[in-house]
Amino acid sequence: MAKYDVIIGLEVHVQVRTNTKMFCSCPNKFGQEPNSMVCPVCMGFPGVMPYPNREAIRRTVMAGLMCSCEIAKFSKFDRKSYFYPDMPKNYQISQYDLPLCGKGKVHVCGKGFSGQEISDKLIGITRIHLEEDVGKLNHFAGYSGIDFNRAGVPLMEIVSEPEMNTADEAYAYLTALKQIMQYADISDCDMEKGQMRCDVNISLKLAGVKEFGTKVEIKNLNSFRSAHRSIEHEIVRQAEVLDNGGKIFQETRGWTDERGETYILRSKESAHDYRYFPEPDLLPMTFTDADIAAIKKELPELPEQKRERFVATLGLTPYDAQVLTLDKTLSDYFDEGAKQAKSPKILANWIITELLRELNDRHIPFEKNPIPVSHLVELVELVSGGTITGKSAKEVFSEMFAGGKAPKQIVTEKGLVQISDDSEIEKFVVMAIEQNPLQVKQYKEGKTTVLQFFVGQVMKLSKGKANPQIVNRLLKEKLDKI
Amino acid sequence: MSIRIENLTIHESARLLEGKKISSVELCKAYLERAKNLEPKVKAFLKLNEEEILSQAQASDRRRAESKKLSPYDGIPVAVKDNITVKGQTCTCASKILQKVVSPYDATVIRKLKGKGFVLFGRTNMDEFAMGSSCENSAYQKTANPWNVGCVPGGSSGGSAASVAAGEVTAALGSDTGGSIRQPASLCGVVGFKPTYGRISRYGLIAFASSLDQIGPITRDVEDAAILTDVMYGRDSKDATSLPDTNEKFSEGLDSLKDLKGIKIGLPKECFEIEGLDTGVRKSMEKSIEVFKSLGAEMVQVSLPHSKYAVATYYVIATAEASANLARFDGIRYGNRVKADSLLETYLETRGAGFGDEVKRRIILGTFVLSSGYYDAYYTKGQKVRTLIRRDFQEAYKKCDVILTPVSPTTAFKFGEKSDPLQMYLADIFTISTNLAGNCGISVPADIHANGLPVGLQLVGPDMGEKQLLRISHIFEKNRAIKEFIPGI
C-alpha cells in the first residue's frame, strides 16, 4: 500500500462558444489581429457598462445540466478586484457566492493518460460559474504588449470536489468534461487556442488519515498532458518533502513543460484579497422551473448515456462504446452509420481497428477523416454480402482512405468481386494441390492444419477473390479423395 | 421685443425659435457673450468651444430653414457635466487622471439630446469624479456661486448649477449620487431633478457609485426639467439596470393640477429635528409649507427612522463601488502614465499623481470596507441598512404622496468653510436617502434667505412617481412667494 493518499481537485476554465463576447457585441473569435476585436466596453473605457450575453448564460446552465448540477433559481454577478494589465477594468465580472450552477457530478471511466484502465467513478462538481476572460500579455524584448481580443470572452469556471486520487483520474475527468462540452456544443475545448485551461489543487496525506494535508495549487496548465505530468511530479515532490520531515506550505505553483517541474509563483501570504461584491451594473438573474425545463429539453444525449445505448441496443462491448464516444464527431459518425448498417457491431470493428488506426498512424484528427460513413457501411455490406472477401476489403479500404472513392466503384475498377463459382474455384484448388505435393503428403499423414496453407495458396492464385468458404469446402473434398 | 436671456427657459426658447423670433445662432451667441463676461468670476465651464457650439447652432438653423427640425427644441443649448461622454470630446471628471482622454462614443443621453437637435454647450465643472458637495474638489478650478462669488455653488454638479443660475446657458445635465444635482441646484436657485434610479440610462456616465448614480437635468423651471427628462428617459439596451419604458410624457399636463386638494405631503419628523439645520432654512420650509396648505394639500407627519444612518451607509456603499469603478484608471490603456521601474510602481505613481485627495480618501475607504475581515461589518451591514431605508420610504408613501424636506441644511457656504470632510459629507444629509432608496427627488427654489442666498426645498416621490412629483413641484413653483430666482451677478 502506498504511504500517502493523494487528493486532487481541479478548477477548469472553459470558454463558452458564442457569437459575441460576454458583455459587449464584439465578436468572440480566436486568432485575429491583436486588438481588432475590441470596443470601449471590453477595453474598460470610462463610462461604459456591461450588458450580459443571454446565450452564454443559457449555455452555462446547459453545461450545469449536463453535469447533473443544481441550477440556481437566483444568481448574480460579482466584481473580483485585482490590478493586472490584462484586465481592462482592474476588476473581473465573475460570480462569487451565487453561481449559476451548484453541486453536480461527472462520470469518469476508460483509460488514463498512462494507458492504464481506471475504475468507473463519479467525481463531484462543486459549482460552475460564468465570468469574463481577460486579455493576453505578449512579452517582447524590452516591452510587453496587451491583446484585448480575448478580454470579455465568456468563460465558465468548473470547480470539482477534491475527489480524484491519481493523475490518471484527473486526466479522465478532464477528458469527460471536454466530451460533455463538445457534446452540448458549449465549447470546442481546443486547449491550443486557450479554450480550456486547468488549475490543479493537490495535497498528500498519510494513507488512511482523515484530515487533508496542505494543498498546493498548480496554475495555468494548458494541456491534459501537462496536467497529468504536473500532478505526477507534484506527488513525488510533496512526498519527498514529507518523507524528509518537511512541511508543505499553501502556495501557488507554476509548471514548466520543458523542465517537467513545478515552481513557486506566490505564497499564501501574498495571496490576493479579491474584495468581491455584487456587480451593481447588472441585475440579478432569476430562473423559474419552466426556464430550466426549457433548457433541459434541448440537452443532447450525454456521452455516458450514449455509451449505455451503444452497448444495450447496438450490441457493442463496453470498450468499443467507450472508444466510439470519446469524441463527439466520432460518435455522431458511428451513430449515423449504425442507422444504415445491418450489423453496427461489425461497423464498430471497422471504425476502431481500421479507420481509427489509420487516422492515428497519420496523425489526422477525426474531423478530417476522408471516408464518409455511408462508404464505410457500403464496404461492410460488400463483405458480409459476399461480394468481396475480407482480404479484398482491406485493399478497398486503403483505396477509399487515399482517394475518397465509393467502395463499389473501387471493387468494379479493380475487379475485386468475389469468385463464388465452384468450377472456377476448383481450377485454383487443383492447381494448388498439383504445385504442392509435399504438403499433400503431410495432409494425408494426418497433419490437417496444412489445410490453411492450401487456402492461402488458393487465395494467392485467385488474387484474393475466391470465396474462402467455398475454397475450404472444395479443398477438403479434393484432398480427402486423394 | 427684448429677450432676457438670463431667464430664458427651454419651453420659451422653443416658442421663440418656432416663431422665428430668434435663431439658434443668435441664442448661442447671446449665451457665449454672457459667458465671456461672467466666466472669469463664475468659472462654471471647464470647456466652452465657441466654434463647436456655433457650428451646431448653424446646423440647427439650417434644419429649421428646411423644415427638418428634429424636435421643438432643435437649437437650444444644454451644458454637459464633465462626467458624461461626448464622442470626440475629452471627459475629465475634473480629474488630472483623465485630462486628455477623448471619449470614443456618445453617452446614451447625449445620443438622445443630439437626436432632438439640442446644441451641446460646453462642459461644466464638478467635484473630481463627482465626489464632493462644493465643487472645490475639482482638479482644475473653483466654480463660484453666482449669487455670491465668495460662496461655493454646491456639488458635485456645481458647474452645471452655476452655469444655469448665471444665465450662461438654458439648461444643463448633472449627475446625482447622493445629492449632486439637487444640492447645487438648491444652493444656486435653480431646479435640479433626480429621476428614479434606472429611469435614465447611465451608459456614458463615468461611474462614481453605480447603484446610486443617476443623470438628471438642472434647469430654470420644473417644466424644463420635465422636458429634458422626456428626452432622456427610457430603457436602454446598453444599461442593464435601466427601467422599462412607461411611455409617459412628463412635460404634458404639468399644470393639470389646479390645486392640491386631496394631495398628502409627508413631513418626516427626523428631517426637521436635525442639528445644524439653519434657522433661515427652517423658516423658508415653514413658509413653503404654508404655500402647500393654501393650495389645499394636507400635511402629514411621516417617519424615516433609519435616515439617521443614511450618511454612514452611503459612505460605505458609495466608496465600495467607487473603489472598483475607479480601478480602471491606471494609465495602461489611456490617460497619463507616470513611468516607473515596475508595474506596481507604475500603478502607484500614475494613480498617486492623477487622483486628488478626496478621491484617494474614498478609494481607500471603499477598499477597506470590502476587505476580507471587514466586509460583513461594513458592506453587508450597509446593504442591510439600505434595505431598511428603502422600507422607511415605502411605509411613508402609504401615508402620503410626496415627502417634503429641505435640500440642504444651510444655504451656500463660503470657500474653504467645510475643510473637515465629515462636515462636507453632512451637507447631503437630506438628499442621500433618496439615492439609497432609489426613488425620485427634486430641488425647487423656494425662498431667498436673509443672507441673500436662495433656499431650495426638496420633494421626494416614490419609485416611478415622477409624473405626480413634477406636477406638485410645478404648482408650487407657480404659487411660491418669489417668482423669479435671478442672481444679481
Side-chain angles (χ1 to χ4, degrees):
Chain A
M1 207 175 101
K3 186 171 174 192
Y4 298 106
D5 287 342
V6 180
I7 309 290
I8 301 163
L10 299 183
E11 283 171 29
V12 179
H13 283 97
V14 175
Q15 283 185 352
V16 184
R17 181 130 69 88
T18 50
N19 292 328
T20 55
K21 290 187 182 180
M22 188 60 226
F23 296 116
C24 64
S25 49
C26 286
N28 172 9
K29 253 190 190 163
F30 178 83
Q32 307 296 308
E33 189 72 14
N35 297 312
S36 62
M37 313 264 117
V38 295
C39 73
V41 177
C42 58
M43 287 284 285
F45 266 70
V48 296
M49 294 181 71
Y51 34 106
N53 184 329
R54 286 174 180 280
E55 186 56 18
I57 294 168
R58 197 183 70 89
R59 283 179 185 230
T60 303
V61 169
M62 209 171 196
L65 291 169
M66 297 283 285
C67 298
S68 319
C69 290
E70 295 160 17
I71 304 301
K73 293 281 170 63
F74 183 86
S75 181
K76 66 175 170 70
F77 286 105
D78 299 278
R79 290 185 182 176
K80 176 183 184 180
S81 288
Y82 64 93
F83 277 78
Y84 205 64
D86 63 4
M87 202 151 63
K89 302 183 290 294
N90 286 321
Y91 63 80
Q92 181 186 29
I93 303 178
S94 180
Q95 296 196 278
Y96 182 54
D97 53 344
L98 295 170
L100 282 166
C101 314
K103 286 202 174 306
K105 54 186 186 294
V106 166
H107 181 233
V108 298
C109 62
K111 282 179 186 165
F113 181 75
S114 65
Q116 277 191 355
E117 206 60 44
I118 59 162
S119 48
D120 276 28
K121 190 168 174 180
L122 287 172
I123 306 296
I125 299 280
T126 315
R127 57 183 281 165
I128 302 178
H129 74 245
L130 184 57
E131 59 190 26
E132 53 180 343
D133 210 342
V134 297
K136 209 169 166 12
L137 289 185
N138 293 306
H139 302 287
F140 306 102
Y143 68 102
S144 296
I146 316 168
D147 178 6
F148 288 103
N149 284 353
R150 198 180 69 178
V153 165
L155 190 67
M156 282 189 294
E157 183 175 322
I158 305 165
V159 183
S160 86
E161 291 289 310
E163 293 180 348
M164 285 157 276
N165 305 109
T166 63
D168 270 355
E169 270 180 15
Y171 180 87
Y173 167 80
L174 287 171
T175 310
L177 268 190
K178 180 176 173 178
Q179 237 181 341
I180 288 170
M181 297 309 148
Q182 288 180 338
Y183 268 61
D185 202 20
I186 291 162
S187 176
D188 296 330
C189 292
D190 188 334
M191 293 191 86
E192 276 174 23
K193 294 180 182 168
Q195 291 167 349
M196 190 174 183
R197 312 190 286 269
C198 170
D199 302 337
V200 171
N201 282 304
I202 176 166
S203 65
L204 263 56
K205 63 182 176 63
L206 277 174
V209 170
K210 253 205 174 140
E211 229 166 275
F212 283 7
T214 307
K215 74 171 180 190
V216 164
E217 186 180 25
I218 316 170
K219 270 223 168 294
N220 291 327
L221 298 160
N222 50 19
S223 72
F224 288 9
R225 186 171 165 270
S226 18
H228 189 274
R229 286 181 70 203
S230 70
I231 290 169
E232 298 268 77
H233 170 269
E234 193 60 20
I235 292 170
V236 173
R237 186 191 71 86
Q238 290 191 21
E240 274 175 14
V241 171
L242 295 172
D243 283 344
N244 294 327
K247 222 181 133 196
I248 297 295
F249 295 99
Q250 190 175 334
E251 61 195 16
T252 302
R253 300 179 73 85
W255 166 256
T256 100
D257 246 336
E258 300 79 38
R259 292 207 308 275
E261 280 173 10
T262 63
Y263 59 93
I264 184 147
L265 279 175
R266 57 175 179 264
S267 64
K268 195 203 173 191
E269 285 69 39
S270 55
H272 293 296
D273 179 357
Y274 292 123
R275 305 192 303 279
Y276 283 100
F277 75 101
E279 167 57 273
D281 283 338
L282 295 168
L283 299 179
M285 297 166 275
T286 52
F287 298 91
T288 63
D289 288 330
D291 292 336
I292 297 166
I295 299 175
K296 231 175 208 165
K297 248 193 211 160
E298 295 166 39
L299 289 187
E301 194 179 23
L302 272 168
E304 196 183 338
Q305 294 165 335
K306 205 162 221 168
R307 278 197 297 273
E308 283 166 12
R309 180 167 59 83
F310 284 177
V311 173
T313 67
L314 300 179
L316 266 54
T317 64
Y319 172 78
D320 289 352
Q322 153 80 9
V323 172
L324 289 176
T325 51
L326 269 180
D327 181 291
K328 169 89 161 59
T329 330
L330 168 60
S331 74
D332 286 346
Y333 181 85
F334 170 69
D335 233 353
E336 183 56 37
K339 280 184 211 150
Q340 306 163 17
K342 285 201 187 91
S343 166
K345 167 73 184 134
I346 298 175
L347 176 67
N349 290 346
W350 271 92
I351 293 175
I352 294 167
T353 52
E354 299 302 325
L355 183 58
L356 291 184
R357 182 186 46 73
E358 199 69 38
L359 289 169
N360 210 18
D361 287 352
R362 297 164 193 246
H363 305 289
I364 299 171
F366 193 81
E367 290 73 45
K368 301 225 167 102
N369 156 39
I371 303 181
V373 76
S374 57
H375 286 184
L376 198 59
V377 171
E378 194 177 303
L379 177 65
V380 172
E381 301 308 322
L382 285 174
V383 182
S384 50
T387 312
I388 58 172
T389 62
K391 194 156 186 279
S392 303
K394 303 228 162 133
E395 195 183 333
V396 175
F397 178 85
S398 299
E399 197 75 4
M400 283 160 70
F401 198 91
K405 280 187 197 162
K408 273 182 185 154
Q409 192 191 346
I410 298 167
V411 168
T412 318
E413 281 174 11
K414 300 206 137 197
L416 292 173
V417 177
Q418 181 165 260
I419 305 165
S420 296
D421 182 78
D422 275 21
S423 57
E424 243 181 277
I425 294 175
E426 202 176 319
K427 286 182 205 154
F428 296 123
V429 169
V430 171
M431 226 186 279
I433 290 174
E434 283 173 3
Q435 287 170 2
N436 300 288
L438 182 64
Q439 281 75 12
V440 172
K441 190 168 165 260
Q442 286 173 344
Y443 184 85
K444 293 315 276 181
E445 283 164 1
K447 202 177 171 196
T448 50
T449 47
V450 182
L451 189 68
Q452 278 317 303
F453 165 81
F454 284 109
V455 171
Q457 292 303 305
V458 173
M459 293 313 278
K460 210 172 173 183
L461 291 166
S462 71
K463 300 204 172 72
K465 292 191 284 184
N467 182 322
Q469 274 102 47
I470 302 176
V471 172
N472 254 305
R473 176 167 55 78
L474 292 179
L475 269 172
K476 263 197 170 156
E477 282 173 18
K478 289 273 172 213
L479 286 167
D480 288 348
K481 275 187 205 157
I482 294 170
Chain B
M1 68 172 268
S2 83
I3 295 162
R4 287 172 67 217
I5 194 142
E6 68 274 23
N7 199 29
L8 203 54
T9 58
I10 293 175
H11 51 95
E12 286 160 1
S13 305
R15 271 193 294 278
L16 293 173
L17 286 162
E18 195 57 19
K20 300 194 170 30
K21 298 280 196 286
I22 196 167
S23 69
S24 176
V25 169
E26 285 167 336
L27 191 59
C28 291
K29 275 190 172 161
Y31 280 123
L32 285 166
E33 183 62 28
R34 194 171 160 85
K36 199 175 278 172
N37 295 327
L38 295 181
E39 268 302 281
K41 280 190 277 183
V42 180
K43 295 185 184 135
F45 287 96
L46 286 172
K47 206 164 301 134
L48 198 56
N49 185 325
E50 186 168 336
E51 205 176 310
E52 264 178 33
I53 292 164
L54 290 180
S55 90
Q56 293 175 73
Q58 280 156 5
S60 168
D61 286 339
R62 267 199 304 279
R63 285 193 295 270
R64 283 190 182 265
E66 294 166 7
S67 302
K68 284 181 185 161
K69 67 169 192 281
L70 297 168
S71 77
Y73 317 113
D74 201 327
I76 296 172
V78 173
V80 179
K81 188 178 180 179
D82 212 28
N83 61 350
I84 299 170
T85 61
V86 178
K87 189 175 179 176
Q89 292 188 6
T90 54
C91 185
T92 67
C93 289
S95 179
K96 293 276 183 222
I97 209 156
L98 288 175
Q99 194 162 22
K100 287 169 192 152
V101 180
V102 175
S103 307
Y105 69 100
D106 277 334
T108 297
V109 290
I110 296 300
R111 180 173 57 75
K112 289 184 167 188
L113 287 175
K114 283 180 174 175
K116 298 290 179 193
F118 282 94
V119 171
L120 302 179
F121 194 88
R123 309 301 298 255
T124 56
N125 193 27
M126 55 188 283
D127 286 295
E128 186 179 2
F129 285 104
M131 296 175 179
S133 310
S134 69
C135 251
E136 289 167 292
N137 293 336
S138 167
Y140 299 105
Q141 63 198 37
K142 287 188 178 29
T143 298
N145 191 313
W147 292 78
N148 177 346
V149 293
C151 290
V152 302
S156 68
S157 310
S160 289
S163 67
V164 176
E168 295 174 318
V169 66
T170 321
L173 298 190
S175 68
D176 191 314
T177 307
S180 281
I181 287 175
R182 291 161 289 159
Q183 185 258 15
S186 174
L187 268 48
C188 290
V190 290
V191 170
F193 181 38
K194 182 202 97 75
T196 305
Y197 178 78
R199 269 288 201 187
I200 295 176
S201 169
R202 292 185 290 120
Y203 187 76
L205 169 66
I206 298 181
F208 158 18
S210 313
S211 74
L212 302 157
D213 293 342
Q214 181 63 82
I215 292 174
I218 292 178
T219 55
R220 194 146 283 116
D221 68 8
V222 174
E223 186 174 347
D224 278 5
I227 288 170
L228 284 178
T229 306
D230 281 340
V231 171
M232 295 191 291
Y233 92 95
R235 170 80 191 156
D236 179 16
S237 64
K238 288 180 152 57
D239 175 357
T241 65
S242 62
L243 291 168
D245 288 316
T246 51
N247 298 316
E248 291 167 281
K249 208 156 182 217
F250 302 116
S251 58
E252 277 176 10
L254 262 185
D255 47 10
S256 57
L257 296 178
K258 297 300 164 214
D259 55 44
L260 292 174
K261 288 202 181 88
I263 299 286
K264 287 179 186 163
I265 295 178
L267 301 173
K269 56 176 195 223
E270 296 83 0
C271 287
F272 294 92
E273 287 165 3
I274 277 181
E275 217 183 304
L277 177 60
D278 176 89
T279 326
V281 172
R282 185 190 297 270
K283 252 185 219 156
S284 297
M285 289 304 109
E286 284 161 4
K287 274 158 78 178
S288 303
I289 289 169
E290 289 312 311
V291 173
F292 283 109
K293 280 184 181 165
S294 72
L295 287 164
E298 187 189 338
M299 311 309 286
V300 294
Q301 201 185 64
V302 293
S303 177
L304 300 170
H306 298 95
S307 59
K308 58 174 175 255
Y309 305 117
V311 173
T313 304
Y314 175 85
Y315 279 94
V316 169
I317 293 170
T319 57
E321 292 179 10
S323 71
N325 281 330
L326 272 59
R328 69 186 64 189
F329 306 119
D330 57 6
I332 300 284
R333 283 145 298 123
Y334 46 77
N336 294 329
R337 184 192 308 171
V338 179
K339 288 223 167 81
D341 292 339
S342 69
L343 180 62
L344 178 63
E345 289 292 315
T346 306
Y347 286 143
L348 295 177
E349 294 295 326
T350 299
R351 289 165 65 82
F355 289 134
D357 288 347
E358 182 59 27
V359 173
K360 286 178 191 161
R361 178 163 25 246
R362 296 199 194 188
I363 291 173
I364 292 167
L365 190 54
T367 305
F368 172 74
V369 300
L370 290 175
S371 302
S372 74
Y374 299 96
Y375 184 91
D376 286 339
Y378 291 100
Y379 187 78
T380 308
K381 181 79 96 193
Q383 290 293 12
K384 285 180 179 165
V385 180
R386 184 175 187 175
T387 303
L388 294 175
I389 289 170
R390 200 175 158 72
R391 279 194 201 140
D392 282 355
F393 276 98
Q394 285 163 352
E395 280 305 308
Y397 288 121
K398 288 177 182 165
K399 293 189 195 156
C400 64
D401 297 290
V402 293
I403 290 168
L404 188 158
T405 74
V407 179
S408 177
T410 64
T411 53
F413 42 92
K414 294 205 159 51
F415 286 107
E417 191 181 319
K418 293 186 195 280
S419 50
D420 173 7
L422 276 180
Q423 281 307 309
M424 187 71 87
Y425 295 173
L426 289 172
D428 294 329
I429 192 155
F430 297 119
T431 48
I432 273 177
S433 297
T434 312
N435 298 82
L436 289 169
N439 47 359
C440 52
I442 189 166
S443 167
V444 184
D447 199 11
I448 304 279
H449 194 275
N451 63 16
L453 293 167
V455 180
L457 72 79
Q458 176 176 233
L459 290 169
V460 180
D463 282 353
M464 312 284 272
E466 284 86 354
K467 189 190 259 180
Q468 182 82 326
L469 180 69
L470 289 166
R471 286 178 181 185
I472 294 169
S473 307
H474 188 254
I475 193 169
F476 169 78
E477 187 181 55
K478 292 278 169 266
N479 289 279
R480 68 190 171 200
I482 296 166
K483 298 299 167 202
E484 282 189 343
F485 285 76
I486 299 181
I489 192 164

